[in-house]
Amino acid sequence: MTLEAYAVHKSYGDVQALKNVDLTVQKGELFTLLGPSGCGKTTLLRIIAGLEQADAGSVFLNGLPITQKPANERPVNTVFQSYALFPHMTNADNVAFGLRSQKIPEGDIRTRVNRILEMMELTNFKDRYPDQLSGGQRQRVAMARALVCEPELLLLDEPMSALDAKLRTQLQIQLRRLQQQLNKTFILVTHDQDEALTVSDRIAVMKDGEVLQHGSPRQIYDRPNCRFVAEFIGTANILEAERRNDQIITHAGRLTVPSPPQWKRGALVIRPEGIVLRDQEPETNGVLATVTETFYRGNFLDITLDPAGLRMRCAPHKKLQVGDKVWVELLKDALVAIDD
């Protein structure tokens, strides 16, 4: 199921929730809308689901317009953060609810419910009630209920945000495996950048009702196109910079980048892993720095350096202490020029 949205606008009074949003999601793709609270991602999801009407713009599924179709006529199901399970029904009956409302024969219902519960690793819990399950199990029941009706498009609105970190990580992996197994189109809304990087085929980063950048997780992380995306996704060093001929002047010194930017003044972005310890002065992009902070993170050390407050990561066995002088190299191919 391919989804296309063109020039979608939505306002609530004087607040513009969505501003001219264009979006294309391919069949069989797990596409994530990522951004902070209030950026418009849930509003866009609700417009796709038919739970909100856009003020302007169009939405198409497989090339057919659905902008004016009511929610119950769209081949779309939604999983919400709140689960919304019926407490008086067993988990199996919760999953079967949508099928029974469609008057499907009871034998077919049992077959489909048992199959999706097995896929979600919930077979042993089918006769229990929602209040007898953990948060992660309840969320899986909610997902099973949405998927058993075999929607062409599944929308997930922050489905894992209420779970603890370990359970959230487990459910992320299950979600990705399930989506690949079913080969269905999923659109996920989240503010959790680690979640987006883990599960997505592609990500759209949103801010203030606009899509700032979209691409694969690697493209978004390695090649942010603006300061907001660089800072919102992971950790980023941002160096204010000035171009003089083919060299870039920053507080960390003169740096060489893969291709000179067009601006006279702008900034360079480099991730912590793009800064590497060296035993001696590097030939290119070397900085003699002073260690100002060290944080032990288990599988790596998080180091802060002067000049420029650079943050880098290195192996935990490195014996670095505050005040140590070290040579580091800012890897040329890890530097990204941005103009804001």
Side-chain angles (χ1 to χ4, degrees), residues 49-109:
L51 302 174
E52 297 268 3
Q53 281 293 315
D55 297 332
S58 303
V59 181
F60 297 84
L61 282 176
N62 276 353
L64 301 175
I66 62 165
T67 312
Q68 302 303 321
K69 275 194 172 186
N72 64 336
E73 294 182 14
R74 303 186 185 197
V76 174
N77 270 356
T78 306
V79 177
F80 298 100
Q81 176 183 343
S82 60
Y83 317 139
L85 299 176
F86 299 112
H88 63 286
M89 292 185 181
T90 66
N91 297 312
D93 286 338
N94 264 285
V95 173
F97 181 81
L99 298 176
R100 290 195 173 115
S101 66
Q102 297 175 29
K103 310 299 184 184
I104 291 173
E106 197 63 31
D108 292 343
I109 290 175

Side-chain angles (χ1 to χ4, degrees), residues 24-205:
T24 300
V25 181
Q26 301 297 335
K27 176 179 172 58
E29 186 172 45
L30 201 161
F31 191 96
T32 296
L33 301 172
L34 174 66
S37 297
C39 72
K41 55 189 187 296
T42 293
T43 298
L44 180 57
L45 198 79
R46 290 177 64 83
I47 288 171
I48 294 169
L51 302 174
E52 297 268 3
Q53 281 293 315
D55 297 332
S58 303
V59 181
F60 297 84
L61 282 176
N62 276 353
L64 301 175
I66 62 165
T67 312
Q68 302 303 321
K69 275 194 172 186
N72 64 336
E73 294 182 14
R74 303 186 185 197
V76 174
N77 270 356
T78 306
V79 177
F80 298 100
Q81 176 183 343
S82 60
Y83 317 139
L85 299 176
F86 299 112
H88 63 286
M89 292 185 181
T90 66
N91 297 312
D93 286 338
N94 264 285
V95 173
F97 181 81
L99 298 176
R100 290 195 173 115
S101 66
Q102 297 175 29
K103 310 299 184 184
I104 291 173
E106 197 63 31
D108 292 343
I109 290 175
R110 282 196 300 272
T111 299
R112 288 169 65 172
V113 167
N114 288 337
R115 184 171 67 243
I116 195 67
L117 287 175
E118 182 179 2
M119 198 175 294
M120 299 298 294
E121 300 179 6
L122 289 167
T123 300
N124 294 336
F125 304 96
K126 66 179 182 180
D127 295 324
R128 296 187 188 182
Y129 291 84
D131 63 359
Q132 296 174 308
L133 302 182
S134 68
Q137 289 166 339
R138 286 197 295 272
Q139 191 57 278
R140 279 151 54 199
V141 172
M143 289 170 60
R145 183 177 60 184
L147 287 166
V148 76
C149 296
E150 299 180 357
E152 293 298 323
L153 176 63
L154 182 67
L155 308 178
L156 301 124
D157 188 8
E158 307 245 20
M160 294 168 272
S161 61
L163 306 178
D164 64 65
K166 183 176 180 181
L167 193 55
R168 190 163 61 243
T169 299
Q170 292 172 347
L171 196 54
Q172 288 166 8
I173 295 169
Q174 285 183 315
L175 174 66
R176 183 57 171 157
R177 287 174 179 166
L178 180 68
Q179 186 268 335
Q180 291 175 327
Q181 185 176 353
L182 295 172
N183 194 32
K184 296 289 187 180
T185 307
F186 286 16
I187 300 179
L188 170 69
V189 160
T190 185
H191 63 272
D192 185 329
Q193 37 118 344
D194 289 331
E195 182 170 290
L197 292 172
T198 299
V199 305
S200 308
D201 291 304
R202 286 192 301 136
I203 299 168
V205 182

Side-chain angles (χ1 to χ4, degrees), residues 171-288:
L171 196 54
Q172 288 166 8
I173 295 169
Q174 285 183 315
L175 174 66
R176 183 57 171 157
R177 287 174 179 166
L178 180 68
Q179 186 268 335
Q180 291 175 327
Q181 185 176 353
L182 295 172
N183 194 32
K184 296 289 187 180
T185 307
F186 286 16
I187 300 179
L188 170 69
V189 160
T190 185
H191 63 272
D192 185 329
Q193 37 118 344
D194 289 331
E195 182 170 290
L197 292 172
T198 299
V199 305
S200 308
D201 291 304
R202 286 192 301 136
I203 299 168
V205 182
M206 297 185 67
K207 181 191 178 194
D208 297 334
E210 298 178 287
V211 175
L212 299 185
Q213 185 176 358
H214 59 82
S216 70
R218 185 173 293 277
Q219 288 169 336
I220 296 290
Y221 183 83
D222 289 346
R223 291 289 180 264
N225 66 355
C226 64
R227 188 182 297 260
F228 177 83
V229 173
E231 292 179 329
F232 192 76
I233 306 289
T235 302
N237 296 290
I238 298 182
L239 302 169
E240 305 301 328
E242 178 183 351
R243 179 171 62 83
R244 297 178 190 170
N245 299 320
D246 289 341
Q247 286 194 317
I248 308 297
I249 310 303
T250 73
H251 291 304
R254 294 176 181 268
L255 298 174
T256 302
V257 296
S259 57
Q262 299 302 309
W263 42 253
K264 290 291 185 182
R265 292 184 181 276
L268 298 180
V269 176
I270 188 166
R271 300 293 185 183
E273 56 271 26
I275 303 174
V276 182
L277 277 175
R278 298 300 188 204
D279 294 330
Q280 57 188 16
E281 182 178 1
E283 293 182 6
T284 306
N285 291 354
V287 177
L288 183 59

